[in-house]
Structure formats: structure tokens, C-alpha cells
Amino acid sequence: MTERPDLNRQLDSNTFRNYYYLKEELVQFCRQEGLQTTGGKEILTERISHYLDTGEELTTKTKARPSANIGDITEETLIEDNFVCSEARRAFFEQTIGKGFHFNVVFMRWLKSNAGKSYGDAIQEYYRIRDEKKKGKTAIGKQFEYNAYIRDFFADTQGMRLEDAILCWEYKKSLPGHNRYERKDLFESHLLGDEI
């Protein structure tokens, strides 16, 4: 097993992308190198990859949008940058979806990452999220690799403990490549015997 390399300026972007790093590690690297530290893991990963390839800071252009008059929200209104839930927005969703509407975490995450889409798109997404939740399997954002791994581990195993799942996760994240759960992780991490 190869050891995960330290995140430093000498690392190339391909190697960097091939290993798992915590968001805190990405932020610390950006801080050390004088790069912007805001954003989720995906944004930080793009910023660091660009920096490792070019030595330059990745600048993102954000075009300022006029804020919508909240009283004029329709299904055609575009979702604003830096979406914030408010009583007016809640009232709009309650009027179009019904009194059972509430801002759940998954829906809020979608709203914050889909500026430029319409409020009509948001309504459709709310129904999709609600239906998935009823089926018992909520989508986990790809930036939450640990959560997805642990969920998939328990879906595939019976009677295992969280400590077992974490042991497999620790093994998996030390390897290059994807960080999705695979049954072979049980054996390669030596949690179980040598045969699948």
C-alpha cells in the first residue's frame, strides 16, 4: 500500500486529485499558500489543482445580479447568488408547495448551489428530494465521501460496528483513486479474512 502524500507545493495536481484530503487540510494549504480559503471541497479542490499546475491563483468571476424584489417571486424568477431563506421565500414555497413545506438541509444545499436556475426548478427539486426521502435513501452530495462510504458499508454488511466501517474508510482513503465503498475493502483492510 502506498502512503498518501502530504499536500504541499511540490505535489502535481493528478496525484493530489487521486487521494482523499479533509476539507480542513485543503483550507490549511490554501492559507499557507495565500490562496482564498472560502468554498466547499469541490471549489477548494479546483483552486488547489489549478495552483499546483500553474503556480497561480484561480480567479473566479462572479457577475453581480440585481437582487429580486422578494414580493415578485414567481416560478420564472431566478435563484439569487448567496441564497438566504427568508419569510418571503418561505411564504412563496408554502403558497406553491403547501403548508407542509420546510427548508430541509438537502434542499437548502441545492438552492445555495444552483443560482441562476428558476424557482420553478427549485419546486421540482423539492418534490424529488421529498420522494427520495420517502423511499428511504436520500442523496448524499459527492463532497460528503465519508458519509456515503459509511452508508454503503452498512447497506452491504450485517452486524458490523461503526468502528469496523471507520477502519475500512481509513484504509480506503489512504489509497489513490475513488473513495466509494467496495466489498473488497473488508478484506484488503484486514477486517475480514483473505477471501471474498
Side-chain angles (χ1 to χ4, degrees):
M1 172 171 73
T2 60
E3 239 180 81
R4 184 188 75 155
D6 289 334
L7 178 53
N8 61 53
R9 180 68 185 95
Q10 285 67 47
L11 203 59
D12 66 86
S13 66
N14 289 333
T15 303
F16 163 65
R17 285 181 176 276
N18 227 358
Y19 286 92
Y20 178 85
Y21 294 92
L22 295 170
K23 181 178 179 183
E24 292 78 29
E25 293 174 288
L26 303 181
V27 169
Q28 179 61 32
F29 176 80
C30 287
R31 199 170 278 131
Q32 284 174 224
E33 297 297 321
L35 303 173
Q36 188 177 0
T37 59
T38 58
K41 274 189 82 172
E42 291 177 41
I43 291 170
L44 291 167
T45 298
E46 287 304 315
R47 188 175 297 139
I48 292 170
S49 291
H50 180 79
Y51 180 71
L52 292 173
D53 284 341
T54 67
E56 299 172 359
E57 184 169 3
L58 179 63
T59 55
T60 53
K61 295 179 182 175
T62 56
K63 50 182 179 175
R65 288 193 184 139
S67 59
N69 180 347
I70 301 307
D72 296 335
I73 295 177
T74 68
E75 291 189 29
E76 289 75 32
T77 302
L78 299 183
I79 298 168
E80 306 84 354
D81 285 324
N82 302 317
F83 179 90
V84 178
C85 60
S86 67
E87 287 307 312
R89 289 179 179 101
R90 179 183 305 279
F92 167 78
F93 285 120
E94 283 180 351
Q95 181 181 4
T96 55
I97 292 172
K99 289 291 182 191
F101 169 79
H102 65 281
F103 283 113
N104 61 57
V105 173
V106 178
F107 185 54
M108 281 298 299
R109 191 178 305 131
W110 187 90
L111 287 165
K112 288 176 184 276
S113 61
N114 283 280
K117 290 193 177 181
S118 72
Y119 275 78
D121 294 330
I123 292 167
Q124 295 307 310
E125 184 64 15
Y126 181 84
Y127 288 132
R128 188 193 68 73
I129 291 167
R130 187 188 64 185
D131 292 345
E132 271 193 10
K133 189 172 183 179
K134 284 181 183 176
K135 292 176 189 170
K137 189 170 184 180
T138 316
I140 296 177
K142 70 179 186 177
Q143 72 272 28
F144 301 108
E145 295 169 287
Y146 169 82
N147 298 22
Y149 188 93
I150 299 299
R151 180 183 68 186
D152 294 344
F153 175 93
F154 283 118
D156 185 51
T157 59
Q158 295 288 328
M160 293 265 188
R161 303 167 305 155
L162 179 58
E163 292 81 10
D164 300 326
I166 292 171
L167 177 70
C168 281
W169 165 250
E170 291 295 328
Y171 163 76
K172 187 68 165 201
K173 76 175 188 176
S174 71
L175 300 175
H178 71 80
N179 293 306
R180 294 180 302 278
Y181 170 79
E182 297 174 290
R183 183 168 256 289
K184 68 181 183 174
D185 297 346
L186 295 169
F187 304 95
E188 292 177 359
S189 67
H190 303 292
L191 186 61
L192 297 181
D194 294 330
E195 296 181 23
I196 296 180

